Structures are given as C-alpha cells and as structure tokens.
Amino acid sequence: MKCYTANGADYRGTQNQTSQNAGKPCLFWNETFEHPYNTVKYPNGEGGLGEHNYCRNPDGDVSPWCYIGITQNFCSTASSLNP
C-alpha cells in the first residue's frame, strides 16, 4: 500500500476501497457525474481524477477518499505520519 503525506492531496496510489462500510469498492471518477468531483468538471486530470476508481483527495479534505453510491467515504490508505 502506498502511503500519503499531510492530507493526501498528492496521493496517486492504487487503493480503491473505503475504510468505512466494510471496504466497499470506489466508483470510477468518470462515472460520478452527479457528484461535485468527476472527469467532466475536471477533464485534465486535476486532483488526480481520471478513468479509474483510485482514492484521491481533490478537495483537500483530511485524507484520500472516493465515492461509493451517493456518498463520499474515506479510504483505507495509510498516512506516512501514522503508518
């Protein structure tokens, strides 16, 4: 598992499951059109968004996250400050 630093805004690892809700798989960013963060609104890969379902932190929250269904959930990534 690739760790992240600070709030994980620069995290580009391949974790794609949440830490909440029994480790549900993340939605693909190019399939989250009803949410604020998706590849239509950010087509140039801003925030690490793309045609993948990896955890990212495009809004500067406390750690990398992803969408599952209609909700945003934090991911099972480890901070390098708290391995």
Side-chain angles (χ1 to χ4, degrees):
M1 171 185 330
K2 183 175 179 180
C3 295
Y4 66 90
T5 58
N7 68 354
D10 62 349
Y11 175 74
R12 296 299 180 264
T14 58
Q15 178 62 32
N16 64 358
Q17 291 184 337
T18 64
S19 58
Q20 305 156 320
N21 298 311
K24 299 264 186 199
C26 299
L27 295 176
F28 279 70
W29 294 100
N30 61 326
E31 296 175 352
T32 60
F33 303 120
E34 69 277 8
H35 298 294
Y37 293 93
N38 60 60
T39 57
V40 170
K41 292 181 183 171
Y42 300 92
N44 298 315
E46 295 95 334
L49 306 184
E51 294 183 4
H52 60 77
N53 69 335
Y54 303 137
C55 300
R56 297 293 184 255
N57 190 0
D59 64 349
D61 210 326
V62 297
S63 68
W65 56 270
C66 69
Y67 293 114
I68 60 166
I70 60 170
T71 62
Q72 173 182 327
N73 284 251
F74 291 109
C75 293
S76 302
T77 53
S79 168
S80 64
L81 301 177
N82 299 307

